[in-house]
Amino acid sequence: MPVIHYPSTTRTTTPKTTKQRSLVTFLLPSPPEPASRLASPSKQASIIPRRNLAILYSIRSGGGSATGVCLGQLAFSWWRIMVAKSRRQVAKLALLALALLLLLLAATLLCVLLIPRHRRKPLPPGPPPGNASNPDDSIVAFDFSPYLIMYKSGRVHRLDGTARCAAGVDGDTGVASKDVVIDAGTGLAARLYLPPAPGGKTKDLARLPVLVFYHGGAFVIESAFTPLYHAYLNAVSAKARVVAVSVEYRLAPEHRLPAAYDDSWRALNWVARNAAGSGPEPWLRDRGNLSRLFVAGDSAGANIAHNMAMRAGTEEGGLDGGAAIAGLLLLDPYFWGKKPVAGETTDRATRRQYEATWSFICGGRYGIDDPLVNPLSAELRRLACSRVAVTTSGLDDFRPRGLAYAAALRNSGWGGEVEQYETPGERHVYFLDRPKDPNSVKELAFVTGFLSRE
């Protein structure tokens, strides 16, 4: 082990005062140990660096001026050591912070990739400003959320189903559409859909089945002109190859039931007349096959479609021109009643709410067991069609009564054919909001198969 040699001095110095020696003794370690005592590793670990020892020796042996210089050099050396240590500590802390940041980033990416994301519909727009001079314009008379809110003044604020889109040629399907006015006095109108000719042929075109469709929306929202139903009818018309007529009927509460039923009946007869050749509409007159007339709808529109088929079978003379409905297609139909059927909710609050909304829609004109809303109390054997298809969704409140309707129809003495299609685990009319979902594609295949079959 090398022995540390300390510099010697030959100059004569005046002895340090007691005060000076005490200061130096307080600040500096004792003189170096003999070499023989520095042999063990534990002792070597505590050896002061050579430069510092030289400084200490100078302080011990030098005069007062040398003491100040050496103390300064010692302080500077000590400061450099502390700065080096601080830098190392800062570097360690920086590395630790960077590691934590990377860990947080990885956890965030993991959450984004693994946690399922749910699409949320945008919040409904706030209520339009009311009439400040009329205090009743801000008092809620009936809250039919999430569809609309009606105020005591009669003002109606719709929360959904108010968007509109123009007719034209659909870029995805090639289906052409146009709007027609059936009754300018009431505002009754329709949007017609015509699929493209197969292979681009324009001559000797075959006549196509005719589909009259009634949109849903609890009788209070939506339209034949909303993007939701425009996209759905484009898809149905293209895949089933039908001339479709989507009816724009009047809505409650401005026009309470039976306004929607009356509009729908008038539109159905208008279609029958034009498809029979006695009307001016060329898409129906030249391309429609009246012997294959279908009536369909979803939710409240399915309720309307059922009641149109019942009216055709009970009203004297039936449809104009002696037309007959070949098939009835009910998608998640809106039916209800006072007494729960098997599988229907027994929650009193829920049942009271459904009764209250039905009373709001019809202005209290019809009870909850009226055949218009509860077909189980109707004479189903008089249904004027030869085929019926009913679709239901597993999580829909209206599912049990839709199934009960199909069963009651089979047992009513009606001589037609009933088909059922169910999608487990789905909510009411899910196929409208998610048209590309696998379940929606399967349901559309069932719908188009029903309409295409002879």
Side-chain angles (χ1 to χ4, degrees):
M1 176 63 65
V3 178
I4 301 175
H5 296 281
Y6 296 86
S8 63
T9 179
T10 55
R11 65 176 178 165
T12 303
T13 59
T14 58
K16 296 179 176 64
T17 65
T18 304
K19 185 176 181 181
Q20 288 174 327
R21 290 180 182 277
S22 300
L23 176 62
V24 172
T25 305
F26 176 77
L27 293 174
L28 302 175
S30 299
E33 297 286 346
S36 59
R37 299 180 62 183
L38 296 176
S40 67
S42 60
K43 290 289 185 179
Q44 295 174 13
S46 61
I47 294 176
I48 302 174
R50 185 185 301 270
R51 176 178 175 82
N52 291 354
L53 290 176
I55 295 170
L56 293 179
Y57 185 82
S58 298
I59 294 173
R60 291 264 181 164
S61 359
S65 60
T67 301
V69 172
C70 292
L71 282 174
Q73 290 177 342
L74 178 62
F76 178 72
S77 179
W78 185 259
W79 174 79
R80 288 181 63 184
I81 293 171
M82 295 305 295
V83 167
K85 287 183 178 179
S86 299
R87 284 177 178 172
R88 287 195 295 271
Q89 290 175 348
V90 169
K92 288 180 182 178
L93 288 174
L95 285 174
L96 181 61
L98 181 62
L100 290 174
L101 182 62
L102 289 174
L103 187 62
L104 181 62
L105 213 59
T108 304
L109 288 173
L110 194 64
C111 290
V112 169
L113 293 173
L114 296 184
I115 296 177
R117 290 169 291 178
H118 300 278
R119 291 182 180 178
R120 294 185 178 181
K121 289 186 176 181
L123 294 174
N131 185 353
S133 62
N134 184 359
D136 290 343
D137 208 38
S138 59
I139 300 173
V140 175
F142 192 84
D143 189 342
F144 197 177
S145 297
Y147 305 118
L148 60 74
I149 297 173
M150 183 175 180
Y151 295 89
K152 192 175 179 180
S153 64
R155 180 169 64 94
V156 175
H157 174 216
R158 286 184 167 80
L159 306 175
D160 197 7
T162 58
R164 299 292 184 268
C165 66
V169 177
D170 182 56
D172 293 332
T173 62
V175 173
S177 60
K178 66 178 179 179
D179 298 333
V180 297
V181 175
I182 298 173
D183 186 342
T186 61
L188 176 61
R191 177 162 289 182
L192 276 61
Y193 297 83
L194 183 67
K201 298 178 181 178
T202 57
K203 294 183 178 180
D204 301 323
L205 294 175
R207 288 184 173 269
L208 304 173
V210 177
L211 170 66
V212 179
F213 188 89
Y214 302 105
H215 68 80
F219 294 98
V220 296
I221 63 168
E222 294 295 346
S223 161
F225 311 135
T226 56
L228 193 72
Y229 286 99
H230 182 69
Y232 185 70
L233 268 297
N234 272 323
V236 171
S237 180
K239 291 190 176 296
R241 294 204 53 77
V242 296
V243 180
V245 181
S246 184
V247 179
E248 176 73 352
Y249 56 84
R250 288 173 292 174
L251 301 176
E254 296 89 343
H255 306 282
R256 300 183 191 268
L257 295 181
Y261 293 133
D262 292 340
D263 287 350
S264 299
W265 180 249
R266 191 173 296 111
L268 181 57
N269 278 289
W270 177 86
V271 170
R273 288 194 304 273
N274 279 272
S278 56
E281 175 47 53
W283 285 8
L284 291 170
R285 182 190 63 222
D286 301 334
R287 299 297 309 279
N289 181 358
L290 189 58
S291 66
R292 298 185 63 197
L293 174 64
F294 292 88
V295 178
D298 73 290
S299 190
N303 174 294
I304 293 175
H306 158 76
N307 281 293
M308 295 304 99
M310 288 296 300
R311 192 163 176 175
T314 57
E315 189 159 308
E316 185 177 354
L319 287 172
D320 288 354
I325 299 172
L328 176 64
L329 177 60
L330 308 181
L331 309 174
D332 289 358
Y334 167 44
F335 296 140
W336 203 248
K338 189 72 175 179
K339 184 179 178 180
V341 299
E344 207 169 62
T345 181
T346 56
D347 180 70
R348 292 183 179 180
T350 301
R351 301 197 71 84
R352 280 197 301 268
Q353 181 64 19
Y354 280 129
E355 288 190 43
T357 54
W358 170 253
S359 181
F360 174 75
I361 291 163
C362 67
R365 184 188 295 263
Y366 311 110
I368 197 63
D369 274 329
D370 190 280
L372 290 173
V373 67
N374 184 11
L376 304 184
S377 62
E379 292 185 73
L380 293 177
R381 60 183 178 82
R382 304 190 68 176
L383 195 69
C385 61
S386 56
R387 293 168 55 211
V388 173
V390 181
T391 74
T392 52
S393 300
L395 302 179
D396 186 5
D397 283 351
F398 301 126
R399 170 187 175 270
R401 200 162 291 258
L403 298 176
Y405 168 83
L409 189 57
R410 290 191 186 98
N411 299 327
S412 66
W414 173 73
E417 172 190 351
V418 182
E419 297 179 50
Q420 287 178 251
Y421 181 90
E422 174 149 343
T423 308
E426 293 288 3
R427 299 192 178 276
H428 190 62
V429 295
Y430 70 94
F431 48 86
L432 292 175
D433 295 317
R434 305 184 340 253
K436 294 184 179 179
D437 185 272
N439 284 339
S440 302
V441 173
K442 291 177 183 177
E443 177 144 336
L444 181 61
F446 171 79
V447 167
T448 55
F450 179 79
L451 298 175
S452 303
R453 194 163 56 253
E454 294 285 350

